[in-house]
Amino acid sequence: MPIEVVFFIEVLAGGLLAGVMYALVALGFVLIYKASGVFNFAQGAMVFFAALTFVSLVERGWNFWLALLVTLAVMVVLGLATERVVLRPLVNQAQITLFMATIGLTFVLEGLSQLIWGSQPHGLELGIPDVPMEWLSQKWNINISQFDLFAAFIAGMLVAVLAVFFQRTRIGRALRAVADDHQAALAVGIPLQHIWAIVWAVAGFVALVAGLMWGVRNGVQFALTFVALKALPVLLIGGFESIPGAIIGGLIIGATEKLAEVYVGPYVGGGIESWFAYVVALLFLLVRPEGLFGEKHIDRV
Amino acid sequence: MILSVENVSLAFGGVKALREVSFDVKEHEIRAIIGPNGAGKSSMLNVLNGVYHPQQGTIRFQEKTFKDMDPHEAAALGIARTFQNIALFKGMTVLDNIMTGRNLKMRCNFVQQAFWAGPARREELAHRRAVEEIIDFLEIQHIRRTPVGRLPYGLQKRVELGRALAAEPRMLLLDEPMAGMNLEEKQDMCRFVLDVNEQFGTTIVLIEHDMGVVMDISDRVVVLDYGKKIADGTPDEVRNDQKVIDAYLGVTH
Amino acid sequence: MLYREAGQFKSTYAEDQRIFPIRQDRIAFWLLMLVAFVAVPLVGNQYWLGAMLTPFLIFALAALGLNILTGYAGQLSLGTAAFMAVGAFMAYNFVLRMPWLGIIPSFILAGLCAAAVGIVFGLPSLRIKGFYLAVATLACQFFVLWALQRFGWFTNYSSSGVVTAQNIVILGVPFDTPARKYVFTLAVVAVMALLAKNLMRSETGRAFMAVRDMDVAASVIGIPMMKTKLLAFAISSFYCGVAGALHAFCYLGTVEPEAYSLDLSFRILFMIIIGGVGSILGAFLGSAFITLFPIFLSIASGWVSHLSGVEISHATISNLELIIFGGLIIFFLIVEPNGLARLWQIAKEKLRLWPFPH
């Protein structure tokens, strides 16, 4: 195969896989938004907190699986505490108020993480090396990282499980009901508090998975919180309430960003990854204000 | 004839809200639109005001014919309205809400307003005077600085009427102005509507469910059912029309 | 007792529409102005003036700008720092390339440039709302900063990417001491605050609030959506632009892109949340709080170290700062969503009755 095509495929694949990683973080947002109508800006900080807790435990000699379990428990407790302290008092407020509360939460989590565990960066190993897949590179000369593929696989599994959970199970249906209309859900006997607790726990779990994947890739350091910012364009494109939307949005953003960086970047001096994803999302929104899979908002007067 | 509705049809996807409705409204009269729930009354009002655009038919208001009017064009033409589910600005006071009704009459630009002294100040005070007259008329002086969100439902409806009046409209569209009011509040509201009609000569088109009110204050009535006009005439004529009685009693047809 | 307005009747609408209808308020305000303009620069020390009061004023101006857009017009924006950056860089360039303009016209032009950028990035608000719009403003924040760093023209092709702001000279008088810079800043901020207050209690302010509260109803009664939203973006960005220019010329002394990061945008947002959304006074209260709080915190931790003998590191302090800020945001949103400004109002109302309980 000609070298340009190979290069293109590598860039594209890299972009798609990066997009899957973004989608992992976006999933956390979608879950919480779907079930409580809250846009949880603190998702990035949760990812960071999860990764940092896990890594710190492992570095202190804890067993891998034990650390994982304990971190998961911590995330669940964190989610419950958030629901209790931040969300419950604000239950009837405008969405924007809840959003700003989660911004406050972000700062609290960032400060707390570093206060407890310190602020040095940590490396993270999960046993899967970041080297090209052998048979791809040998047969077709294409280099695609093994780890990226593993992360994509995990993300895919997570999405499938969550999609089934929401569509098929009783709890999933309850979650969707709650997202639609709190009062109505209460009226049919759905225990609001429990539901929210479950949702935040699941979101915490997703944050942990995302934290681990990203931690391996970029190291566990404060900059991890900015990954969440990258998930925002993903949500804009995929819609805030759609699990498949998060994946597709992620793929689109990841691919276009990587391609732009490599092919367009050199002409404008590079560094366009900082804003390209946002501009893409912005242009997308102008055409479809509610995203690909989001629900149209109709204002009735 | 200030308003003439000709063959207006409106559909939302597959749902036909209005089917070839035609009627007219004489200047200075009080015209009621009534009908069972879902008959298309609010949709009709929304069409008159430019919020919905009919697929078919035209509307003639004061010699101008149109089909695709924007709401603020309607406002500029002199059509003001109130809403079924109060569309007031909850974060502002009563006074400010009613002042927003004067926005089309304000000429000063933002730079003049920023410097306040001079034309902007004069204009603001002149409009304040006009708005105070409406506040007096509606007897809401005691709450003029209260944020609207804190007022009881009946008073909010009155403020909304005030905002519509502030625009000094030629035609006033009232969507269920008495809904949710007790007897006293209804009497007050009727008095205001009649006063507006008599003192300012404003043509009024209103949707109302309370038959007593409709019979008492309206000059002529249009009856809609399932989007079609089934009767048109004075309150007495309409009251005794068999088709109207059937529609309200739910006789299948 | 002291604060009762007994005997103060308003017999004209003009009197009723005043900014300070109560005489005690007027007296207090003018006293404050006297102290601020005259007493402070005479007795204040360099550190207080340069590192606390001047930045407090500058950030209050930026918070004012953001409040106009987010608090009054309801358009959530996370790109405040980007507009400040535009103001800073353009002011530098105007003074550099057109020195005959004078500093105040340069600042005004810089503000207008920021307003132009604001209009461009405000266009999406016609289609997008709420936090979708907030994320779109992030595009503005990142793009503008990238552009300012990427295109050397802005820094006059300086190799380090950082330039020194020029000196302020008005009518031959140099404003180079902290006291003079403070007075200059105070004058600019005071004038702009007055203009903003006038604007917000006029039709423009009402139109903004109408769009914030229920934009469909606003357009139905004749308020033009596009013009109103874009005007909000323009005015807000103008204010942030001027604040940015002041930030570079009177505070930092340099013009550098890193100073206008996303972090600053968030800080200013916090200022208006804590100070009071939709309130001119709120911008000042919020800025005072957030500018002074870190200093208070490090003094407090100094005492604690002293008393307990335990050394508290800088890192710990900055983490505590993050936690307390975040906590305060949440606290204010739960307890008093209208912020310090509302608390101030409540205090004044209690004061009216003092010494009686009710």
Side-chain angles (χ1 to χ4, degrees), chain A residues 88-161:
Chain A
R88 216 179 283 188
L90 290 173
V91 104
N92 275 323
Q93 301 286 351
Q95 270 189 333
I96 223 90
T97 310
L98 287 161
F99 172 64
M100 296 203 278
T102 60
I103 298 183
L105 184 62
T106 306
F107 273 43
V108 172
L109 279 179
E110 285 173 3
L112 204 61
S113 320
Q114 295 187 129
L115 200 62
I116 299 179
W117 299 118
S119 37
Q120 324 89 293
H122 303 262
L124 182 57
E125 284 301 319
L126 281 180
I128 305 197
D130 194 9
V131 292
M133 284 286 296
E134 283 196 24
W135 63 268
L136 273 178
S137 65
Q138 275 177 0
K139 201 162 171 211
W140 283 322
N141 217 3
I142 303 178
N143 292 322
I144 298 182
S145 156
Q146 276 185 16
F147 179 75
D148 282 348
L149 283 170
F150 171 68
F153 174 69
I154 295 283
M157 292 282 325
L158 202 56
V159 167
V161 166

Side-chain angles (χ1 to χ4, degrees), chain C:
Chain C
M1 173 176 82
L2 282 174
Y3 198 53
R4 270 279 192 205
E5 66 251 35
Q8 294 178 37
F9 297 107
K10 299 166 191 69
S11 47
T12 65
Y13 295 128
E15 281 173 17
D16 196 43
Q17 300 270 87
R18 270 175 154 154
I19 294 181
F20 295 110
I22 303 178
R23 195 192 312 128
Q24 288 89 331
D25 279 342
R26 285 201 289 282
I27 298 177
F29 178 73
W30 287 113
L31 268 178
L32 180 66
M33 286 295 106
L34 199 63
V35 167
F37 272 97
V38 176
V40 168
L42 286 178
V43 302
N45 70 44
Q46 288 234 13
Y47 177 69
W48 265 84
L49 289 170
M52 301 234 289
L53 290 179
T54 306
F56 150 66
L57 288 170
I58 292 173
F59 291 125
L61 188 62
L64 200 51
L66 182 60
N67 223 344
I68 291 176
L69 183 61
T70 299
Y72 282 95
Q75 313 297 308
L76 185 57
S77 163
L78 295 175
T80 318
F83 298 124
M84 288 178 76
V86 172
F89 275 88
M90 289 315 290
Y92 167 76
N93 277 287
F94 278 117
V95 173
L96 179 74
R97 295 163 203 280
M98 312 201 320
W100 43 268
L101 267 180
I103 198 97
I104 294 190
S106 299
F107 273 26
I108 295 180
L109 283 172
L112 289 174
C113 290
V117 174
I119 292 181
V120 169
F121 280 97
L123 284 169
S125 73
L126 302 173
R127 286 269 283 175
I128 314 173
K129 298 190 185 162
F131 29 76
Y132 286 82
L133 183 63
V135 181
T137 57
L138 280 180
C140 172
Q141 169 74 36
F142 293 133
F143 178 80
V144 165
L145 244 47
W146 171 83
L148 289 174
Q149 283 170 303
R150 161 78 186 78
F151 297 106
W153 183 86
F154 291 106
T155 52
N156 203 20
Y157 304 102
S158 125
S159 49
S160 65
V162 173
V163 285
T164 317
Q166 302 91 333
N167 280 322
I168 301 176
V169 178
I170 301 180
L171 298 177
V173 178
F175 280 74
D176 45 6
T177 67
R180 292 192 179 183
K181 289 188 181 180
Y182 158 77
V183 172
F184 177 69
T185 309
L186 180 62
V188 171
V189 173
V191 168
M192 290 188 73
L194 177 64
L195 295 180
K197 181 71 182 171
N198 284 336
L199 207 52
M200 290 304 114
R201 60 192 180 116
S202 310
E203 187 52 39
T204 307
R206 284 193 291 267
F208 284 0
M209 291 193 275
V211 166
R212 172 195 70 193
D213 286 341
M214 199 185 283
D215 54 359
V216 181
S219 96
V220 166
I221 65 170
I223 295 176
M225 218 28 44
M226 176 165 96
K227 186 157 166 260
T228 307
K229 284 186 179 177
L230 291 182
L231 187 63
F233 270 96
I235 295 178
S236 166
S237 316
F238 178 80
Y239 272 68
C240 294
V242 173
L246 284 171
H247 186 257
F249 279 71
C250 294
Y251 175 51
L252 272 192
T254 58
V255 187
E256 45 186 275
E258 289 78 31
Y260 307 105
S261 64
L262 183 63
D263 194 63
L264 180 60
S265 289
F266 274 119
R267 294 196 106 194
I268 300 180
L269 183 63
F270 288 167
M271 285 179 201
I272 69 171
I273 296 179
I274 289 186
V277 163
S279 149
I280 305 282
L281 177 63
F284 285 92
L285 293 176
S287 173
F289 188 86
I290 296 216
T291 312
L292 298 179
F293 187 74
I295 300 176
F296 169 73
L297 199 59
S298 54
I299 294 179
S301 75
W303 285 343
V304 172
S305 307
H306 219 67
L307 291 173
S308 65
V310 176
E311 188 61 43
I312 302 187
S313 73
H314 267 301
T316 312
I317 295 180
S318 55
N319 284 327
L320 274 175
E321 198 184 297
L322 280 176
I323 297 179
I324 296 181
F325 269 161
L328 276 170
I329 302 276
I330 297 175
F331 174 76
F332 269 99
L333 285 171
I334 295 176
V335 168
E336 185 48 78
N338 289 317
L340 289 172
R342 177 84 187 112
L343 290 177
W344 171 253
Q345 242 186 344
I346 295 177
K348 277 172 61 176
E349 274 166 38
K350 291 259 148 75
L351 195 57
R352 280 186 72 223
L353 300 170
W354 182 79
F356 303 106
H358 60 87

